[in-house]
Each structure stands twice: as structure tokens, then as C-alpha cells.
Amino acid sequence: MLSLNESHERRLLWLLALTQFTIIMDFMVMMPLGPQIMHAFQISPARFATAVSAYSWCSGLSGLLAATYIDRFDRRRLLLAIYALFALSNLGCALAPNFPLLLVARAFAGITGGVLASVVMAIVGDVIPVARRGAATGTIMTAFSLAAIAGVPAGVMLGAHFGWASPFVLLVVLSC
């Protein structure tokens, strides 16, 4: 197990929490943007629901599949590579000129988000001593609540003022 001093451990936990925040915000912000996205692409609620569920299905399946190969890679490199792909998937969402490309970008965001969530928890298991692992996991899971109470409302406000794509641009910026 890698041993970190308290300062490095705290910084790592907050970076992992930010990663988790962006994953959760990406997942949750889509639903409130529904009316804007349906209007922009002239799609039905059923087609919009397909984009929402594509993320969920891809995230769940990729998280399960990641468990079979995640131990073969260096955690830091895997996190950085998948997070870069996550940022690109959000850029794809923001720049999607039509619904089929938005659907593909959402599926790709789900794939990368599911793997990222697995990698984040694997890093906690590798780096944080058992005695502090519960508190570390709690710190990272705080990102879920923060995404719900701050990230989604911020995304909705951005969407209302600057268009439905702006929350995805914010996610790209946060990811970088």
C-alpha cells in the first residue's frame, strides 16, 4: 500500500471527490434540461428518455466490466486517461449538432463515468489505510450530495441563461 502524508492524502481525497462530483453532476443534470433539449432537437419525451437511460445503462455495464480489468493498469494513469475521455464525451454533448450524436456522446459519457467511479473507489482502497478508509469514502460520497444541491441547480441556471449545452461545457472545464 502506498503511504501518503496527511496533506497529500487530503488533497487526493478532494481531487477524487471533484471527480465524483463531475460524474454525478453529468448524470443528474440531464433530466432538468429535458425540455430545452427536446425543443432544441425536436424530439419526443420517449427519445429524450433514451438519451437519459443510455447513460445509465452504459455506466452500469462499464462499471461491472471494469471490475474484470481494472487491476491490470496503474490506477493514476487509468484515472487520467478515462477522465480525459470523460471530458471529451462532455465536450461531445455540448457540441452535438443533432440528437443521434448527443445520444452517442451520452452513451460514451456513461461508459467513462462508470469506469471512473470504479477507479475512484479502487484508489481509495489502495491508498487509504483501513483505519481511515470509511471517512475517506464518506468524503468522496459527499460529492453526490454536493452535485445534487449545488451542481444540478448551477447547471440548470447555466442552461436557462446560456442554452442547454452550457452545463456540459462547465463539466469540461471542471474536468480539465
Side-chain angles (χ1 to χ4, degrees), residues 15-36:
L15 285 171
L16 293 175
L18 176 62
T19 302
Q20 193 77 355
F21 175 88
T22 57
I23 296 166
I24 300 301
M25 182 178 167
D26 182 42
F27 170 69
M28 294 176 75
V29 79
M30 188 74 172
M31 283 302 288
L33 295 174
Q36 291 175 306

Side-chain angles (χ1 to χ4, degrees), residues 13-137:
L13 286 175
W14 286 110
L15 285 171
L16 293 175
L18 176 62
T19 302
Q20 193 77 355
F21 175 88
T22 57
I23 296 166
I24 300 301
M25 182 178 167
D26 182 42
F27 170 69
M28 294 176 75
V29 79
M30 188 74 172
M31 283 302 288
L33 295 174
Q36 291 175 306
I37 292 172
M38 287 186 288
H39 177 73
F41 293 119
Q42 299 298 309
I43 58 171
S44 68
R47 288 191 72 199
F48 174 73
T50 302
V52 173
S53 63
Y55 184 101
S56 301
W57 277 102
C58 290
S59 178
L61 291 173
S62 70
L64 286 173
L65 292 174
T68 64
Y69 68 84
I70 204 170
D71 289 329
R72 299 178 190 165
F73 301 98
D74 176 69
R75 303 269 198 249
R76 180 188 303 180
R77 287 190 177 137
L78 183 61
L79 178 77
L80 291 174
I82 300 297
Y83 204 47
L85 293 172
F86 176 78
L88 283 175
S89 69
N90 277 293
L91 185 60
C93 291
L95 299 176
N98 55 44
F99 180 72
L101 287 177
L102 177 66
L103 185 61
V104 169
R106 292 307 296 155
F108 192 62
I111 290 168
T112 57
V115 175
L116 279 172
S118 299
V119 174
V120 165
M121 295 316 292
I123 289 172
V124 169
D126 286 349
V127 175
I128 307 300
V130 174
R132 292 191 305 274
R133 202 168 289 156
T137 302

